[in-house]
Amino acid sequence: MKITQEFQVAGTPASVFAFFQDVASVAQCMPGAELTDDHGDGSYTGSVSVRLGPMTARFEGRATITSDPETMAGNIVGKGVDRRGGSRGNVTVDYALAASDGGTTVAVDADITISGTAAQFGRTGLLNQITQRLIQQFVDCLEAKLGAEDPEDAAAIEADDVKGISLVASTVGSSVARGAKKLLGRD
Protein backbone atom coordinates (compact mmCIF):
# COMPACT_ATOMS: atom_id res chain seq x y z
CA MET A 1 0.00 0.00 0.00
CA LYS A 2 1.30 3.42 -0.96
CA ILE A 3 0.77 6.42 1.27
CA THR A 4 1.75 9.90 0.14
CA GLN A 5 1.46 12.77 2.59
CA GLU A 6 2.65 16.33 2.73
CA PHE A 7 2.59 18.45 5.86
CA GLN A 8 3.83 21.79 7.13
CA VAL A 9 6.12 22.33 10.10
CA ALA A 10 6.77 25.68 11.75
CA GLY A 11 10.56 25.72 11.61
CA THR A 12 13.33 26.24 9.09
CA PRO A 13 14.30 23.35 6.82
CA ALA A 14 17.72 23.24 8.52
CA SER A 15 16.18 22.92 12.01
CA VAL A 16 13.65 20.31 10.88
CA PHE A 17 16.36 18.31 9.07
CA ALA A 18 18.59 18.48 12.16
CA PHE A 19 15.67 17.23 14.26
CA PHE A 20 15.14 14.30 11.86
CA GLN A 21 18.77 13.28 12.45
CA ASP A 22 18.04 12.83 16.18
CA VAL A 23 16.32 9.46 15.84
CA ALA A 24 15.60 9.15 19.57
CA SER A 25 13.66 12.45 19.52
CA VAL A 26 11.84 11.47 16.32
CA ALA A 27 10.78 8.19 17.97
CA GLN A 28 9.41 10.16 20.94
CA CYS A 29 7.16 12.05 18.51
CA MET A 30 5.86 8.95 16.75
CA PRO A 31 2.76 7.68 18.55
CA GLY A 32 3.34 4.09 19.69
CA ALA A 33 7.05 4.01 18.78
CA GLU A 34 9.88 2.94 21.06
CA LEU A 35 13.57 3.04 20.17
CA THR A 36 15.45 0.29 21.99
CA ASP A 37 18.92 0.28 20.41
CA ASP A 38 21.11 2.46 18.19
CA HIS A 39 23.58 0.20 16.38
CA GLY A 40 25.71 3.20 15.36
CA ASP A 41 25.67 2.43 11.65
CA GLY A 42 22.38 4.06 10.71
CA SER A 43 20.38 1.05 11.88
CA TYR A 44 18.12 0.95 14.90
CA THR A 45 16.07 -1.62 16.80
CA GLY A 46 12.70 -0.76 18.23
CA SER A 47 8.99 -1.36 18.18
CA VAL A 48 5.78 0.27 17.01
CA SER A 49 2.50 -0.51 18.79
CA VAL A 50 -0.92 0.20 17.34
CA ARG A 51 -4.28 -0.60 18.91
CA LEU A 52 -7.18 -1.05 16.54
CA GLY A 53 -10.38 -2.00 18.31
CA PRO A 54 -9.81 -5.22 20.23
CA MET A 55 -6.46 -5.89 18.56
CA THR A 56 -3.03 -4.60 19.52
CA ALA A 57 -0.19 -5.15 17.08
CA ARG A 58 3.32 -4.58 18.36
CA PHE A 59 5.83 -4.79 15.55
CA GLU A 60 9.36 -5.36 16.83
CA GLY A 61 12.15 -5.00 14.33
CA ARG A 62 14.92 -3.04 12.76
CA ALA A 63 15.11 0.10 10.64
CA THR A 64 17.92 1.53 8.54
CA ILE A 65 17.97 5.28 8.06
CA THR A 66 19.96 7.26 5.51
CA SER A 67 19.86 10.98 4.87
CA ASP A 68 21.41 13.54 2.55
CA PRO A 69 21.99 17.03 3.97
CA GLU A 70 22.61 18.46 0.50
CA THR A 71 19.12 17.57 -0.75
CA MET A 72 17.43 17.67 2.69
CA ALA A 73 16.01 14.22 2.01
CA GLY A 74 16.17 10.79 3.56
CA ASN A 75 15.11 7.17 3.43
CA ILE A 76 13.90 4.71 6.07
CA VAL A 77 13.60 0.97 5.49
CA GLY A 78 12.06 -1.08 8.29
CA LYS A 79 10.92 -4.62 8.98
CA GLY A 80 9.03 -5.89 12.00
CA VAL A 81 7.16 -8.84 13.43
CA ASP A 82 4.20 -8.88 15.79
CA ARG A 83 5.15 -12.02 17.69
CA ARG A 84 1.85 -12.32 19.53
CA GLY A 85 -0.44 -11.88 16.52
CA GLY A 86 1.84 -13.38 13.89
CA SER A 87 1.70 -10.32 11.63
CA ARG A 88 4.64 -8.99 9.67
CA GLY A 89 5.28 -5.50 8.39
CA ASN A 90 7.68 -3.87 5.96
CA VAL A 91 7.95 -0.17 5.28
CA THR A 92 10.00 2.02 2.99
CA VAL A 93 9.70 5.76 3.55
CA ASP A 94 11.25 8.54 1.49
CA TYR A 95 11.03 12.09 2.79
CA ALA A 96 12.09 15.47 1.41
CA LEU A 97 12.09 18.90 3.03
CA ALA A 98 11.55 22.22 1.28
CA ALA A 99 11.22 25.79 2.47
CA SER A 100 7.68 27.16 2.45
CA ASP A 101 5.82 30.18 3.72
CA GLY A 102 6.02 30.04 7.49
CA GLY A 103 8.33 27.04 7.74
CA THR A 104 9.04 23.74 6.05
CA THR A 105 7.05 21.43 3.82
CA VAL A 106 7.74 17.75 4.48
CA ALA A 107 6.80 15.39 1.65
CA VAL A 108 6.54 11.71 2.59
CA ASP A 109 6.15 8.72 0.27
CA ALA A 110 5.68 5.41 2.06
CA ASP A 111 5.24 1.87 0.79
CA ILE A 112 3.78 -0.33 3.54
CA THR A 113 3.21 -4.07 3.41
CA ILE A 114 1.35 -5.80 6.26
CA SER A 115 0.59 -9.50 6.38
CA GLY A 116 -1.16 -11.65 8.95
CA THR A 117 -3.91 -10.65 11.38
CA ALA A 118 -3.11 -6.93 11.22
CA ALA A 119 -3.69 -6.94 7.46
CA GLN A 120 -7.46 -7.06 8.03
CA PHE A 121 -7.20 -3.41 9.09
CA GLY A 122 -5.24 -2.56 5.94
CA ARG A 123 -8.02 -0.87 3.99
CA THR A 124 -6.24 1.94 2.18
CA GLY A 125 -8.88 4.62 2.83
CA LEU A 126 -9.02 3.96 6.56
CA LEU A 127 -5.23 3.75 6.88
CA ASN A 128 -4.80 6.99 4.95
CA GLN A 129 -7.17 8.78 7.34
CA ILE A 130 -5.49 7.25 10.40
CA THR A 131 -2.09 8.21 8.95
CA GLN A 132 -3.24 11.83 8.61
CA ARG A 133 -4.22 11.90 12.28
CA LEU A 134 -0.94 10.28 13.38
CA ILE A 135 1.03 12.75 11.27
CA GLN A 136 -0.78 15.64 12.96
CA GLN A 137 0.20 14.22 16.37
CA PHE A 138 3.80 13.89 15.10
CA VAL A 139 3.86 17.48 13.81
CA ASP A 140 2.42 18.83 17.08
CA CYS A 141 5.12 17.00 19.05
CA LEU A 142 7.91 18.04 16.64
CA GLU A 143 6.88 21.72 16.80
CA ALA A 144 6.68 21.56 20.60
CA LYS A 145 10.19 20.10 20.76
CA LEU A 146 11.56 22.70 18.33
CA GLY A 147 9.92 25.48 20.35
CA ALA A 148 11.03 24.22 23.77
CA GLU A 149 12.93 26.64 25.98
CA ASP A 150 15.82 24.26 26.66
CA PRO A 151 17.00 20.70 25.87
CA GLU A 152 15.53 19.29 29.11
CA ASP A 153 12.08 20.64 28.26
CA ALA A 154 12.37 19.27 24.70
CA ALA A 155 13.41 15.81 25.99
CA ALA A 156 10.28 15.64 28.18
CA ILE A 157 7.91 16.16 25.23
CA GLU A 158 6.47 12.97 23.74
CA ALA A 159 3.57 12.02 21.51
CA ASP A 160 0.49 10.61 23.19
CA ASP A 161 -0.14 6.88 23.00
CA VAL A 162 -2.26 5.71 20.10
CA LYS A 163 -5.79 5.04 21.27
CA GLY A 164 -7.04 2.69 18.57
CA ILE A 165 -10.74 2.69 19.38
CA SER A 166 -11.01 6.46 19.65
CA LEU A 167 -8.72 6.96 16.64
CA VAL A 168 -10.81 4.65 14.45
CA ALA A 169 -14.09 6.06 15.83
CA SER A 170 -13.08 9.66 15.14
CA THR A 171 -11.78 8.70 11.69
CA VAL A 172 -14.98 6.85 10.78
CA GLY A 173 -17.05 9.67 12.32
CA SER A 174 -15.36 12.30 10.17
CA SER A 175 -15.89 10.11 7.07
CA VAL A 176 -19.59 9.79 7.88
CA ALA A 177 -19.86 13.56 8.41
CA ARG A 178 -18.19 14.25 5.04
CA GLY A 179 -20.55 11.80 3.35
CA ALA A 180 -23.59 13.43 4.95
CA LYS A 181 -22.44 16.89 3.81
CA LYS A 182 -22.10 15.62 0.25
CA LEU A 183 -25.57 14.05 0.35
CA LEU A 184 -27.06 17.29 1.65
CA GLY A 185 -25.15 19.37 -0.89
CA ARG A 186 -23.22 21.30 1.76
CA ASP A 187 -19.71 20.38 0.63
Side-chain angles (χ1 to χ4, degrees):
M1 167 182 40
K2 298 269 190 195
I3 295 178
T4 301
Q5 296 286 326
E6 193 171 276
F7 56 91
Q8 302 294 315
V9 177
T12 66
S15 66
V16 174
F17 187 79
F19 177 82
F20 281 5
Q21 305 318 297
D22 182 356
V23 176
S25 290
V26 171
Q28 285 182 314
C29 283
M30 294 177 62
E34 179 184 357
L35 180 66
T36 55
D37 199 12
D38 176 349
H39 300 282
D41 60 355
S43 65
Y44 302 84
T45 305
S47 64
V48 176
S49 297
V50 179
R51 285 184 288 208
L52 295 169
M55 181 192 163
T56 299
R58 180 177 176 180
F59 293 95
E60 297 174 8
R62 191 172 185 125
T64 302
I65 302 171
T66 57
S67 60
D68 181 1
E70 292 295 318
T71 61
M72 297 265 183
N75 173 266
I76 304 163
V77 177
K79 294 181 181 185
V81 176
D82 174 31
R83 298 187 196 290
R84 195 170 15 161
S87 298
R88 294 185 176 279
N90 295 307
V91 64
T92 300
V93 178
D94 293 308
Y95 70 87
L97 310 181
S100 64
D101 291 341
T104 301
T105 298
V106 181
V108 177
D109 288 312
D111 188 5
I112 302 169
T113 305
I114 300 174
S115 62
T117 308
Q120 67 184 321
F121 296 103
R123 285 191 16 245
T124 302
L126 183 60
L127 279 180
N128 273 326
Q129 291 177 14
I130 289 172
T131 299
Q132 289 173 3
R133 292 180 186 276
L134 293 175
I135 285 174
Q136 188 57 55
Q137 289 180 6
F138 174 80
V139 170
D140 292 346
C141 179
L142 184 157
E143 288 178 339
K145 281 184 174 287
L146 290 177
E149 295 288 322
D150 56 56
E152 292 79 25
D153 289 343
I157 298 169
E158 294 184 9
D160 293 332
D161 285 339
V162 178
K163 303 287 191 248
I165 293 172
S166 62
L167 183 61
V168 170
S170 64
T171 300
V172 171
S174 62
S175 294
V176 169
R178 277 194 308 277
K181 284 181 182 177
K182 285 181 182 178
L183 280 173
L184 299 172
R186 295 183 186 162
D187 193 31

